[in-house]
Amino acid sequence: MKTILQLRGIIKRFYIGEPNELQILNGIDLDVREGEFVAIVGASGSGKTTLMNVIGLLDRPTEGEYLIDGVDVAAASDRELSYIRNQKIGFVFQTYNLVAKTTALKNVELPMLYGGVPARERTRRAKALLDLVEMGDRVKHLPEELSGGQKQRVAIARAMANDPAIILADEPTGALDSKTGRTVMDLFHRLNKEQGKTIVLITHSEELARETDRIITIKDGSITGERAGDAR
Amino acid sequence: MMVMENLRMAIASLKANKSRALLTMLGIIIGIAAVIAIMTVGNSVTNTVSSSMQSMGVNNINVMIQSRKNEPEERESGIVFGAVEHSKEMTERDYLTDEMIAGLLEEFSDEIEAISASEAVGSCEVKNGSASANVTVTGVSQGYFAANEKTMLAGRLLSAEEATGARNAAVVSSEFVDDLLEVSYEEAVGRSFSCRLGEQQVQYTIVGVYEQVDSATAMMMGLVGTECYIPLTTAQQFNHTENYQNLAVVGKVGVDADALARKIETYLDGHYRSNRYFEVSAFSMSAMVTAMADMMDTIVTAISVIAGIALLVGGIGVMNIMLVSVTERTREIGTRKALGATNESIRMQFIVEAMIMCLLGGIIGVILGVAGGILASNLMGAAAAPSVGSIVISLLFSLAIGVFFGYYPANKAAKMNPIDALRYE
Ligand SMILES: Nc1ncnc2c1ncn2[C@@H]1O[C@H](COP(=O)(O)OP(=O)(O)OP(=O)(O)O)[C@@H](O)[C@H]1O
Ligand SMILES: [Mg+2]
């Protein structure tokens, strides 16, 4: 299978004042194949989210080479990165990040809006996706009227809006109880199995990590371990 | 499609913060309302005044005696605003005389149709049961009503016999009858009323009723509305004078009234050269119409400048609130960028929001302004004439304010780094 994400010697530094230079990622090499379900684990502050932001094109690496679906990120303009985020990546955040005062339906429509999908098609597809995550009866609800688990399911429907090849989830179950976390996790498994989505999941739960194809351990900004999960 | 979505988002965002949006719009609302109201009133008054002055005859020239201005040796102590006037009373020898009239008629026989004179007697309080009104009494020569194009509604004009006999006959305005007598104009003819002028109690008999010009013009010309005209000779007898304070000259058809007014003034100046305190002033109705329009223009400009400042302040208010909104919604901006929004679409979203806010303020301002303008015009008795052009321009202008003052905050939102925006606490 082809490699969809290819990271070579990725370094990320933060500059907070002249003398304080913080190197958070110390040369990450990582390949993710199409359709793979990868878990990233590691202690708090080890650089998992920082890595995820680089993978998700929300942040550019300080050094190193990153190819996403064959496109060299270093050479791409901001506008091109917006386009790739829109078309190829679906984000699921720990804090859901639904747009406030905006219905579940309109939230799911957002990526399609920026992708230029016609209004009628947008609504049709958003409804279908909300049905898929079993939120079809909450279409007109505002985020503040939903529970955490419900919000996260809407967020997953939103991540799926433009049928992206890659789903990036940073501790998607972190704010949920284990039962709700379970339903969210089941959703990811379904998307991975049935639709062949490539999924990168950051989690603190060893149990959930073990359900994936491959588990990558990060420590102090470096990959220190890699093992196969039970799904293999 | 993106435009519709932006509009929808803007409206949703404004709805979420209704009172804040309304307060922000206040500057725009006040500015636009002021512009529209003053434009409406200005339009109405200018239209009404100039049309009724036109109907009063643009060929008419008013000649009057006035105090000489800027006589330094006569300057009174204390603060003086503008032109300096002395406090010397006009006497018999300062008035216009029959010789002057004759001289004018001879000198400008090709241009003058007729000259009529008037003599102010004074004003008095007339009572009838519970009704009372302040009535000004003016003596007029026989040609006066024709020269001023006053239309009779009932009765007749002052007769030659009443003029020579200096009788106490009166022609009153329609408003006089409406306010004081509460009878039909026909019934009013033949009635008499008494009024106290100075030390004297005088009894006048109404012989005719004329149609009062609309109140806006009357007000501008310093008329109270309840006018009463008596024979010139009666007034002169009362005032113990044989001369005139006022002349109305009617120019012949086709004569340039302005030029004639200047010529008359120059001619009469000859008679007044030796008069230290008074001089002659002659002006045509058309000059008055122009002066009125100029005055209106000045008022409109002054208020427009104030309104412009209100709009500027309003615009800055919009910018301020948009900056607050952008900061508050930093995480939303980050999320939108993560979902694929380009910088341009974020910028557009916030500019549209600022534009809608300003447009809404503009619309409310236009509604208030038109309402206020119509109300004020009606109070002044002028036919309300809201100007469609100024409404359209105001709305476009408020949109422009939205773009101008919305751009900076919108650009700030657009240029946010997605990850910094998402991490914002
Ligand atoms: N913008 C930034 N400026 C400065 N330091 C940063 C910035 N972003 C992240 N860091 C630092 O990088 C380190 C790694 O942060 P990161 O969020 O990647 O950790 P993490 O592995 O996701 O931790 P957690 O499991 O708690 O989410 C932290 O020490 C953090 O302080
Ligand atoms: Mg993290």
Side-chain angles (χ1 to χ4, degrees), chain B residues 155-323:
Chain B
R156 56 175 173 79
L157 295 171
L158 298 161
S159 68
E161 176 187 321
E162 279 156 356
T164 47
R167 306 272 169 75
N168 283 346
V171 172
V172 298
S173 70
S174 50
E175 206 168 317
F176 181 101
V177 178
D178 295 340
D179 287 5
L180 279 171
L181 302 177
E182 289 163 344
V183 294
S184 73
Y185 301 137
E186 280 74 20
E187 284 171 307
V189 175
R191 295 215 180 191
S192 27
F193 61 95
S194 74
C195 97
R196 190 170 186 81
L197 288 160
E199 296 299 299
Q200 263 173 280
Q201 189 76 25
V202 196
Q203 182 97 8
Y204 293 111
T205 307
I206 299 172
V207 298
V209 180
Y210 72 91
E211 187 179 8
Q212 174 69 18
V213 291
D214 62 276
S215 49
T217 318
M219 219 167 73
M220 295 250 166
M221 295 181 65
L223 303 178
V224 290
T226 45
E227 261 73 43
C228 158
Y229 293 99
I230 59 172
L232 183 64
T233 42
T234 314
Q236 286 182 321
Q237 233 171 52
F238 189 90
N239 282 359
H240 307 294
T241 176
E242 287 179 347
N243 300 330
Y244 317 97
Q245 302 167 6
N246 249 306
L247 292 179
V249 177
V250 186
K252 285 206 162 121
V253 178
V255 166
D256 179 352
D258 275 331
L260 181 57
R262 279 196 297 277
K263 281 192 265 184
I264 290 173
E265 210 175 274
T266 318
Y267 175 83
L268 291 175
D269 262 351
H271 291 272
Y272 279 83
R273 197 158 295 142
S274 57
N275 193 323
R276 275 179 65 201
Y277 303 111
F278 297 97
E279 63 181 358
V280 152
S281 155
F283 52 90
S284 69
M285 276 298 173
S286 62
M288 242 175 112
V289 171
T290 315
M292 190 78 64
D294 285 353
M295 189 185 79
M296 222 52 229
D297 277 355
T298 312
I299 296 174
V300 167
T301 311
I303 297 207
S304 299
V305 168
I306 296 167
I309 294 169
L311 287 177
L312 182 73
V313 173
I316 293 169
V318 168
M319 178 152 84
N320 186 31
I321 282 301
M322 288 308 295
L323 281 172

Side-chain angles (χ1 to χ4, degrees), chain A residues 53 57-59 78-79 82 85-86 91 93 95 97 99 101-102 106-107 110-111 113-114 122 158, chain B residues 1-2 5 8-9 16 331-332 335-346 349 417-419 422:
Chain A
N53 291 337
L57 310 180
L58 293 172
D59 214 354
D78 280 351
R79 177 180 275 277
S82 295
R85 281 201 296 272
N86 185 246
F91 287 96
F93 303 96
T95 48
N97 285 357
V99 175
K101 318 266 185 206
T102 305
K106 288 288 172 191
N107 259 290
L110 272 183
L113 177 69
Y114 294 123
R122 265 192 334 247
R158 186 176 67 180
Chain B
M1 42 350 44
M2 202 60 197
E5 270 316 304
R8 203 192 55 74
M9 285 194 294
R331 275 177 76 92
E332 175 190 326
T335 305
R336 286 177 184 277
K337 288 197 161 186
L339 299 179
T342 57
N343 294 357
E344 288 72 48
S345 51
I346 297 288
Q349 178 190 343
N417 179 353
I419 195 60
L422 270 173

